[in-house]
Amino acid sequence: MPRSPAGKICIVIGEANPAQWEEAILKARPEANYLELRLDCLKVSDLTASNFKKWVRLAEVPVIATLRRKANGGQFIGSEAEQVEILKVALEANVAFLDVEIETIENYLHGELALLKKAPTRLIVSYHNFEETPVSLESIYQRLLQVRPDVLKVATLAHSFSDNFRLLELIEKTRQQNLSIISVAMGELGVYSRIVAPSRGALLTYGSMGNSQATAPGQLSAHDLRLVYALDEINEQTRFYGVIGYPVGHSLSPQIHNAAFRERGLNARYLPLAIQDLQDFGPHLKRFAGFSITIPHKVAILSYVDRLDSTVKMTGAANTLVRQGDDLWAYNTDVYGIRYALRKPLEEGIHQTTLLGAGGAARSAAIVLKESHCQVTVLGRDREKTRRFASEFGFDYDSLSQAPKYRGELLINATPLGMSPGTEQTPLQEHAIHYRWVFDMVYNPLETRLMRQSKGKALVISGLEMFVAQAAKQFELWTGLEPPRDLMRKIALEKLNASNRSAS
């Protein structure tokens, strides 16, 4: 007998042959509360009664069997009649659930479910739309209700962030009617619904075995759902934070901030929010307690906030939002991060500094250098942009190509040169490094080419120091608590080391 689910994570099995299928079931079993078997990924000749019984026995958790037709986003090219006959074989194996498209039930079964009803199996009737979230979800909801399923399922592609909330409203509706539902906004914009839906009453949410094995757009790994987001502990009192940017798929921030929230015993979650259109997301900003802001929205976000901290007024950009009452405050914690990373050279006393770059990162560095009364020369590729930037702070300037002729106590790389995947790039060759301190703001890879070249010639400061410090300041602004800096740094190191190993 399958064990009863203690959580709400369903891993989808979609391998191409029975041997891989069984290996995947065994691998998924420890992470899963449910397993969905995508029968359409196998040959019809593999879909035998003996195989079904073996898979149910191997699973040890409730099994959902589905044979998704090509017209409904699957791979099965047979007729509806053939689909129903195969599902009847699965039914005899006592799977916990059959998932059948509403189209098959309406077109072939004419709304009658008797052929697919057999205790203890429960019937999921599903509606999928891989193109949009229709304007009228109510009509789809009523269409599913009409055939009286055990569980309703609505999975649609989100084109607007508001589609998450429209699908969550369906969960509330079924809760009031004492019904079960699976409600999913697919795509990058739908990640919020995948994480939040179970806490609102959805039967389950779908996860993949790994980040590269998603079976639907926007699907997170079961590992991340369970360990990074602690899905089963989310409730209606959970406060939500997130990183707004595009892309955000490789951001370290969810791992770092969620671990920090747990360490401090906070009922809070930090989500990746892949937002391209700020205007679409703007109306939902105050549903959250705070945000990290990354490329490309650090300047544009200022049109959506109520108050600006002095760091934002100085830099003209924000990387942090904090909701205080009805107001959204904007901060730039990069300034704090740079100040922390440079604490030792600044304490020692820095006079002559070379700053490489004239963009947003360089601006935050320039503020710290200006308040420390350093003599600074800014080197950039675009001479006119560099001149304007330098004159704003009263600094000297020159072309980046002239970097080898400069020397001093501190070199700061505020360009992306050396950042993954361009790890062999460097803004300065080894023979031209004549500084006591070298600070590379790039943190991925952990050791850039510039850092390697500087070893033995200078004291090296990693961009990781700035990254962790600015994240710690964000945590402090959001919560008013002392951030667990050592833990945040440890997790960032682990993730970057893992990323660097997989890239090598």
Side-chain angles (χ1 to χ4, degrees):
M1 287 291 290
R3 66 179 187 265
S4 297
K8 295 192 171 189
I9 298 173
C10 178
I11 295 180
V12 180
I13 305 295
E15 272 62 23
N17 65 62
Q20 292 174 343
W21 190 270
E22 288 158 22
E23 185 180 331
I25 289 173
L26 293 173
K27 186 179 176 184
R29 202 167 64 186
E31 297 267 6
N33 308 114
Y34 300 87
L35 288 178
E36 178 178 277
L37 306 185
R38 282 289 302 271
L39 306 177
D40 49 297
C41 297
L42 294 175
K43 295 177 183 176
V44 171
S45 58
D46 294 324
L47 303 178
T48 63
S50 60
N51 274 342
F52 283 137
K53 288 174 182 174
K54 185 197 303 183
W55 298 332
V56 169
R57 188 174 64 254
L58 282 176
E60 294 187 356
V61 296
V63 165
I64 302 170
T66 187
L67 186 64
R68 190 82 62 229
R69 299 182 67 243
K70 197 158 190 177
N72 300 104
Q75 299 181 39
F76 183 64
I77 57 174
S79 67
E80 290 168 331
E82 291 168 318
Q83 177 192 22
V84 168
E85 287 307 307
I86 292 169
L87 290 174
K88 283 164 66 178
V89 178
L91 195 62
E92 292 302 316
N94 287 338
V95 294
F97 299 88
L98 280 185
D99 179 346
V100 189
E101 303 94 334
I102 183 65
E103 291 83 0
T104 295
I105 289 168
E106 289 175 336
N107 300 336
Y108 180 71
L109 297 176
H110 307 294
E112 292 296 326
L113 303 184
L115 280 177
L116 299 177
K117 281 276 196 180
K118 177 179 178 291
T121 302
R122 299 173 69 196
L123 189 63
I124 302 169
V125 176
S126 58
Y127 170 86
H128 294 83
N129 191 321
F130 292 91
E131 296 181 0
E132 64 175 353
T133 299
V135 174
S136 178
L137 284 177
E138 176 63 24
S139 63
I140 292 161
Y141 180 77
Q142 293 300 330
R143 185 178 162 196
L144 295 174
L145 271 186
Q146 194 168 354
V147 299
R148 299 181 179 278
D150 298 303
V151 182
L152 297 81
K153 178 182 174 185
V154 179
T156 62
L157 183 65
H159 284 296
S160 167
F161 197 78
S162 61
D163 291 337
N164 286 280
F165 299 103
R166 296 174 58 216
L167 285 156
L168 291 175
E169 285 169 7
L170 289 185
I171 300 173
E172 180 57 31
K173 185 187 283 283
T174 57
R175 221 164 58 164
Q176 292 172 0
Q177 296 177 288
N178 202 27
L179 300 170
S180 291
I181 191 171
I182 302 165
S183 188
V184 179
M186 296 184 290
E188 290 179 314
L189 280 174
V191 167
Y192 180 84
S193 77
R194 290 183 179 275
I195 293 172
V196 175
S199 69
R200 300 301 184 261
L203 178 68
L204 54 82
T205 193
Y206 293 94
S208 63
M209 273 306 299
N211 290 319
S212 62
Q213 296 174 277
T215 57
Q219 196 176 90
L220 298 162
S221 74
H223 175 274
D224 285 354
L225 287 171
R226 190 166 60 86
L227 296 181
V228 177
Y229 302 105
L231 183 90
D232 296 331
E233 297 170 25
I234 296 174
N235 57 39
E236 295 195 13
Q237 284 71 52
T238 302
R239 291 167 65 83
F240 288 100
Y241 300 79
V243 53
I244 300 173
Y246 197 86
V248 295
H250 293 92
S251 173
L252 300 177
S253 297
Q255 283 86 355
I256 291 170
H257 283 300
N258 283 313
F261 289 147
R262 280 196 299 277
E263 180 70 10
R264 291 292 182 256
L266 299 173
N267 184 6
R269 296 295 184 279
Y270 182 102
L271 313 182
L273 303 170
I275 304 298
Q276 295 188 68
D277 184 354
L278 263 187
Q279 191 171 350
D280 174 71
F281 188 73
H284 307 292
L285 284 166
K286 291 184 180 178
R287 291 178 182 264
F288 292 76
F291 297 96
S292 304
I293 310 297
T294 189
I295 295 170
H297 302 312
K298 288 188 172 186
V299 174
I301 195 67
L302 300 184
S303 299
Y304 297 88
V305 303
D306 304 297
R307 304 288 182 90
L308 305 181
D309 176 70
S310 60
T311 54
V312 175
K313 292 175 183 176
M314 289 188 289
T315 58
N319 77 333
T320 307
L321 299 189
V322 182
R323 182 161 60 81
Q324 298 179 14
D326 292 331
D327 288 343
L328 273 177
W329 279 77
Y331 297 82
N332 193 318
T333 66
D334 285 341
V335 175
Y336 297 96
I338 292 168
R339 197 178 287 137
Y340 181 84
L342 293 179
R343 66 196 183 283
K344 289 182 180 177
L346 292 176
E347 286 169 8
E348 185 179 284
I350 295 296
H351 303 289
Q352 183 63 51
T353 298
T354 303
L355 175 59
L356 308 181
R363 179 170 293 277
S364 296
I367 289 167
V368 175
L369 295 171
K370 180 73 174 176
E371 68 188 18
S372 301
H373 307 291
C374 296
Q375 185 178 340
V376 180
T377 302
V378 183
L379 307 182
R381 284 176 170 167
D382 184 323
R383 189 171 180 83
E384 179 55 27
K385 178 183 177 183
T386 306
R387 183 193 68 77
R388 290 197 306 270
F389 178 91
S391 64
E392 189 177 335
F393 292 94
F395 296 162
D396 295 328
Y397 72 96
D398 204 341
S399 169
L400 187 60
S401 63
Q402 298 301 307
K405 77 178 187 182
Y406 287 90
R407 62 191 60 218
E409 286 133 326
L410 174 63
L411 171 71
I412 299 177
N413 177 34
T415 77
L417 290 171
M419 182 184 295
S420 182
T423 55
E424 287 308 304
Q425 296 179 329
T426 181
L428 207 60
Q429 295 302 320
E430 187 172 351
H431 65 83
I433 299 171
H434 304 292
Y435 298 90
R436 173 164 169 72
W437 298 87
V438 172
F439 172 34
D440 195 340
M441 292 171 72
V442 172
Y443 65 84
N444 187 12
L446 279 169
E447 186 177 66
T448 63
R449 184 177 172 188
L450 176 63
M451 291 168 66
R452 290 197 303 274
Q453 292 170 334
S454 302
K455 279 186 172 178
K457 304 185 73 174
L459 297 168
V460 176
I461 302 169
S462 166
L464 182 68
E465 301 306 316
M466 172 194 165
F467 174 73
V468 173
Q470 65 81 29
K473 185 63 179 180
Q474 289 181 324
F475 181 91
E476 180 186 325
L477 289 168
W478 292 329
T479 68
L481 301 176
E482 179 67 24
R485 288 176 184 271
D486 290 345
L487 174 67
M488 296 170 87
R489 190 177 191 280
K490 175 176 175 285
I491 290 172
L493 273 170
E494 287 173 356
K495 297 301 176 185
L496 286 169
N497 277 323
S499 173
N500 292 168
R501 281 196 302 271
S502 64
S504 61

